[in-house]
Every structure is written in structure tokens, then in C-alpha cells.
């Protein structure tokens, strides 16, 4: 009895295990059936959807010249679980080199090849980001002159200027003084390189009181008083000459002589430097005024015009009217000097005082037989 009970207990145990395995298998078949029932319609729906899209794309391609369909447009309808694989041919070939008459995209669905055509171009994409600035280019040639602009507005009339726009009297006078000072300095700088020159007849030195500079001192000279030809003007020869090319001897007989004072009864000169002047050899000096640019000799006056500087006063002298040799008039200083050791009566050029003669001269302004003074002026 104990063995029979043991057998029955073992059989019941095996039966329970078998029933449990059967239930598990049965449940698996049920789940598989449910999956098949749900997945097959979905797969069929995707296939139908694909076929419909392919037909639409083929129709559009046929209407627009059979351009090959873009792979990106087509693959947007598939998912990795669709069971569809795609292979694009010549993907990296530029679009302008693709032969549009031949399909360039092949698909396989369930092992069957499907040939597609390219659809219409999509809309233009958004602009890309701005690129970097290029290198600075070479500067181009200048452009043509621009057109003349319109005339400006008319300025304010004098009556329209308010009193507030005018300078005070003190500032105006100060400004005028500054301008005058600037002009004077500029003028002085410009004339520093020029200056006036003149000959001071009868003196060895120039007048330092007026700022005159002595360029050189010399002796008065001219042609012979008793010769018809030769030079007629007086020259201030330097005391020590400088010789060029020369031939010693008397070839041309065109000589120059020293000048002697010829003063008898009518002697208007001072005698502070030498006396008597009769037959003394006359001297001279070449002068320069640095800060004045003009010079003149005024015969018949003792004083210079206003704003002019008196360099020296004197008396007119020239050759005698009865002598055949003519000369010019010169203004000899009123206090003359003479060349040392030249008091002998050697003649040559002769200086006589000049007197006025009425007739063609307007008398009584001029007086018959009166010695004429003179003055040398600079400005």
C-alpha cells in the first residue's frame, strides 16, 4: 500500500509539471498569433503606402522630364523597421554631370528591385553664415574730380552783425599792433639780404650814425679835364686795385685820373678835416644800408623828404664849363677829406662847385650865382 501511494504521488507530480509547460507553450502561441495578426496589416499598409508614393513620383517625373528622384526625399517615408533597404549609385557625382535620362536610384523591396525617378527640386535652403573678411586690396587710382557744388548762402550784411560779434576796441587795437609787428619783422627779414648802396664823395668812411656800412674807401677819379674823349662820369676807385690780365705800357691812351678840388673864392665847405682844399686829391667811400632798400641824391636840398634818412649833406661839384671834357654832377660831403700826400697841382679830373644860373631855372626860387647844396637819402 505504501508503494501504491508513492506511485500515485509521483504521477500527480509529473502531471502537474506537464500541465504547467503546456500552459506556457499555449501562451506563447497565443502571443505569436496576436503579433502576426497585428504586424501583417501594418506591413501591408506600409507596402501600399510605398507603392502609392512611387506611382505619384513616377507620374510627376514623367511630366517634368524624368528627372531622378532625390534619395533624401524618398527615404523620408521609411523607418529602420520597414524592412526596406536603399542603395544610391554615384552619390558623390556633381549634379551637373548626372545623366538625367537614366535612373540613378535603385531600391529593393522584399528582394525585388524598384527603379525610381527624381522629383522636382525642393525650395532653396537658408543662406549660410557670413564668410571671413578678405585681405585688403591694392588702392585704386584716384577718381575724377567731383562736380562743383551749389553756391553757398550769402553772408550777413554789415548792418546785420550784432555788437556782440565785434571785438572790443582794446582787443582790436592789440590785434592791429600784432599784425603790424609781424609785417615789419617779415619785411625786415626780407630786406636784410638786400639793402641800399651809394657813394659818399669827399669822405673816407660812411656815416655810422645812420647804420651805414663802409664797403671800401677809395679815391675819386675821372677822365682828363682837357680831353674831349674818354669817360665822362666819376668813379670811386679802391685805394688798392686788383689786376687781371694786363700789358704794361701806354697802348690806348684812354686814361683815368684822380680828381682835385678846385676852390678859390667860392668855398662853401667846412674845414674840420683838412685845409686848404685847393688842389687836394678827393677821396670817396662805397656805403651800404642793410635795412633800407632805396637811395637817392637830391640836388638843391639840404634835408631829405619825410620818412627818409639823411646819409650826408654836401654841395654839387663837377668839371669847369670851359673845359672840353664833360663829366657828371656829384654830391661831395660838406666836410670833405683828401688823400694824403696829394696836395700837388697835378690836375687830371677837376671838381668845381656848381652855381645856379637864372633864365631857364625858375628864379627867384633859384638865385643867380649861388652854390647849390645837395643831400643823399635812403629809405
Amino acid at each position: 500500500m505504501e508503494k501504491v501511494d508513492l506511485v500515485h504521488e509521483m504521477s500527480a507530480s509529473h502531471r502537474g509539471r506537464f500541465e504547467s509547460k503546456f500552459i506556457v507553450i499555449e501562451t506563447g502561441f497565443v502571443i505569436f498569433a496576436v503579433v502576426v495578426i497585428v504586424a501583417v496589416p501594418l506591413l501591408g499598409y506600409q507596402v501600399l503606402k510605398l507603392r502609392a508614393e512611387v506611382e505619384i513620383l513616377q507620374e510627376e517625373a514623367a511630366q517634368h522630364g524624368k528627372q531622378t528622384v532625390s534619395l533624401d526625399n524618398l527615404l523620408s517615408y521609411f523607418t529602420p523597421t520597414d524592412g526596406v533597404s536603399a542603395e544610391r549609385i554615384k552619390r558623390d557625382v556633381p549634379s551637373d554631370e548626372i545623366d538625367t535620362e537614366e535612373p540613378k536610384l535603385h531600391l529593393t523591396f522584399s528582394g525585388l528591385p524598384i527603379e525610381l525617378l527624381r522629383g522636382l527640386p525642393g525650395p532653396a535652403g537658408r543662406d549660410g553664415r557670413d564668410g571671413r573678411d578678405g585681405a585688403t586690396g591694392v588702392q585704386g587710382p584716384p577718381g575724377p574730380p567731383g562736380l562743383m557744388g551749389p553756391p553757398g548762402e550769402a553772408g550777413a550784411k554789415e548792418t546785420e552783425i550784432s555788437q556782440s560779434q565785434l571785438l572790443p576796441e582794446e582787443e582790436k587795437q592789440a590785434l592791429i599792433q600784432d599784425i603790424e609787428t609781424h609785417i615789419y619783422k617779415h619785411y625786415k627779414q626780407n630786406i636784410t639780404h638786400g639793402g641800399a648802396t651809394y657813394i659818399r664823395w669827399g669822405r673816407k668812411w660812411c656815416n655810422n650814425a645812420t647804420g651805414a656800412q663802409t664797403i671800401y674807401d677809395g679815391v675819386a677819379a675821372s677822365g682828363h679835364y682837357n680831353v674831349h674823349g674818354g669817360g665822362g662820369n666819376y668813379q670811386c676807385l679802391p685805394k688798392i686795385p686788383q689786376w687781371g690780365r694786363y700789358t704794361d705800357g701806354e697802348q690806348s691812351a684812354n686814361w683815368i685820373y684822380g680828381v682835385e678840388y678846385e676852390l678859390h673864392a667860392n668855398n662853401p665847405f667846412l674845414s674840420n678835416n683838412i685845409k686848404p682844399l685847393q688842389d687836394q686829391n678827393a677821396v670817396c667811400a662805397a656805403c651800404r644800408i642793410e635795412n633800407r632798400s632805396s637811395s637817392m641824391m637830391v640836388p638843391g636840398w639840404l634835408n631829405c623828404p619825410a620818412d627818409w634818412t639823411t646819409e650826408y649833406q654836401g654841395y654839387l661839384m663837377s668839371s669847369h664849363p670851359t673845359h672840353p671834357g664833360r663829366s657828371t654832377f656829384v654830391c661831395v660831403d660838406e666836410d670833405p677829406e683828401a688823400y694824403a700826400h696829394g696836395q700837388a697841382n697835378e690836375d687830371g679830373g677837376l671838381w668845381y662847385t656848381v652855381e645856379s644860373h637864372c633864365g631857364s631855372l625858375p628864379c627867384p626860387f633859384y638865385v643867380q650865382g649861388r652854390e647849390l647844396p645837395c643831400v643823399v637819402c635812403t629809405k
Side-chain angles (χ1 to χ4, degrees), residues 325-373:
R326 288 198 166 190
S327 64
T328 57
F329 296 99
V330 293
C331 184
V332 180
D333 192 279
E334 64 177 348
D335 198 3
E337 297 175 297
Y339 187 67
H341 311 293
Q343 68 272 17
N345 185 15
E346 298 172 333
D347 292 333
L350 301 177
W351 270 350
Y352 295 84
T353 55
V354 178
E355 300 174 343
S356 59
H357 191 282
C358 290
S360 55
L361 283 180
C363 295
F365 297 106
Y366 288 91
V367 179
Q368 178 71 26
R370 183 173 293 180
E371 287 76 18
L372 284 175

Side-chain angles (χ1 to χ4, degrees), residues 286-352:
C287 308
R288 176 176 180 262
I289 297 294
E290 183 177 356
N291 58 356
R292 293 187 286 277
S293 58
S294 301
S295 66
M296 67 176 177
M297 188 271 285
V298 183
W301 276 10
L302 281 174
N303 300 308
C304 293
D307 298 331
W308 286 74
T309 300
T310 299
E311 297 298 330
Y312 73 92
Q313 299 169 326
Y315 289 90
L316 281 180
M317 301 193 79
S318 183
S319 60
H320 197 275
T322 61
H323 294 165
R326 288 198 166 190
S327 64
T328 57
F329 296 99
V330 293
C331 184
V332 180
D333 192 279
E334 64 177 348
D335 198 3
E337 297 175 297
Y339 187 67
H341 311 293
Q343 68 272 17
N345 185 15
E346 298 172 333
D347 292 333
L350 301 177
W351 270 350
Y352 295 84

Side-chain angles (χ1 to χ4, degrees), residues 156-166:
K157 296 181 180 179
E158 183 179 359
T159 56
E160 297 177 358
I161 299 177
S162 63
Q163 292 296 326
S164 61
Q165 295 175 299
L166 298 177

Side-chain angles (χ1 to χ4, degrees), residues 185-202:
K185 289 181 178 179
H186 179 72
Y187 172 76
K188 186 176 180 180
Q189 290 175 355
N190 288 342
I191 67 173
T192 298
H193 303 289
T197 58
Y198 61 91
I199 301 297
R200 188 178 187 182
W201 299 104

